Amino acid sequence: MITPVTASAEAEDTVQDAYLRWSSAERDDIEHLGAWLAKVVTHLCVNLTRS
């Protein structure tokens, strides 16, 4: 069971990871930022649930 504190911390970590990926990405290659961020965060969350 995930506690709210753990879930909150994991959510913050996921957002930070997504930001780091965005900050190191080639911005010219990202045509639709919203879609790109949704995909990155989705993949990070899926990976989190698998671990």
Side-chain angles (χ1 to χ4, degrees):
M1 179 176 189
I2 297 177
T3 63
V5 172
T6 303
S8 175
E10 288 176 348
E12 288 178 13
D13 290 345
T14 301
V15 171
Q16 288 177 359
D17 288 345
Y19 173 78
L20 291 174
R21 289 175 187 228
W22 174 77
S23 68
S24 65
E26 290 291 329
R27 307 252 172 89
D28 293 337
D29 293 341
I30 301 172
E31 293 183 30
H32 303 284
L33 179 59
W36 185 88
L37 285 171
K39 182 177 180 177
V40 168
V41 171
T42 299
H43 284 285
L44 290 170
C45 289
V46 168
N47 291 341
L48 183 62
T49 59
R50 289 183 180 171
S51 61

